Amino acid sequence: EVSVSVEVGGEDLPATLERTSGEIWIHGGPLLLSYANLFFSLVILAVVLYCTKLTIRIVRRIQEGKIFLLENAMALRRIALASLFLFVFLLLSRIGYGIYASGRILSDSIVHTGFLGPRFEMSLAELAVPLFLLALAEAFRAGVQLQEDQDLTV
């Protein structure tokens, strides 16, 4: 690690440059970034708690032997949609931060070797998991409806 000074929005801030990864960690920063980080953290926490609550409800129903219920399928669908929302939210926040930081982070001691603009470093798994859950929820819902139809015909 190398200690450097980085200019952010006209203010010199202490930072650490990691030699192995080339990442710059800025210590401190504009109040706007602190509030933005708090907001993003609260949104992520809310989505995680919501998905955890729905998962606990599904598990409790399964423990009671109530597996093929429409409520379970709908809860799984809500988990998938919340996960998809989180993917889009994180993607937009990374793009927004890239746009914000691209014109504000300057330093004489750092040689920029790449584009410091919007970054799209989202893995395919971060999108595939919510889409898989959504497909699973829809298949589960269709199975529940087929079971209800069969129960009515007997």
Side-chain angles (χ1 to χ4, degrees), residues 11-125:
E11 182 181 348
D12 282 334
L13 297 173
T16 305
L17 173 62
E18 291 190 14
R19 292 179 192 219
T20 54
S21 66
E23 293 180 339
I24 300 169
W25 293 89
I26 299 172
H27 309 289
L31 196 55
L32 174 66
L33 287 181
S34 297
Y35 286 136
N37 284 333
L38 177 63
F39 173 72
F40 295 141
S41 298
L42 290 175
V43 169
I44 292 168
L45 178 65
V47 171
V48 168
L49 290 175
Y50 178 69
C51 290
T52 302
K53 175 182 164 185
L54 291 174
T55 303
I56 290 170
R57 285 183 182 171
I58 292 172
V59 170
R60 284 189 181 151
R61 287 186 199 119
I62 290 173
Q63 288 174 341
E64 293 171 359
K66 301 173 184 175
I67 299 170
F68 297 106
L69 292 176
L70 189 57
E71 291 85 5
N72 287 348
M74 297 309 294
L76 190 58
R77 185 174 192 271
R78 285 187 202 107
I79 291 170
L81 291 175
S83 301
L84 195 57
F85 165 78
L86 193 58
F87 172 82
V88 171
F89 178 77
L90 290 174
L91 179 65
L92 293 177
S93 68
R94 289 177 185 180
I95 292 169
Y97 179 74
I99 291 169
Y100 174 81
S102 64
R104 290 177 174 79
I105 298 179
L106 305 169
S107 174
D108 294 334
S109 59
I110 298 172
V111 177
H112 298 288
T113 57
F115 179 64
L116 191 61
R119 296 169 55 172
F120 302 95
E121 293 182 358
M122 303 292 285
S123 74
L124 187 58

Side-chain angles (χ1 to χ4, degrees), residues 134-153:
L134 191 57
L136 184 65
E138 291 305 311
F140 196 76
R141 185 181 59 80
V144 168
Q145 288 178 341
L146 284 173
Q147 182 182 5
E148 288 175 356
D149 290 344
Q150 185 180 11
D151 291 344
L152 291 176
T153 58

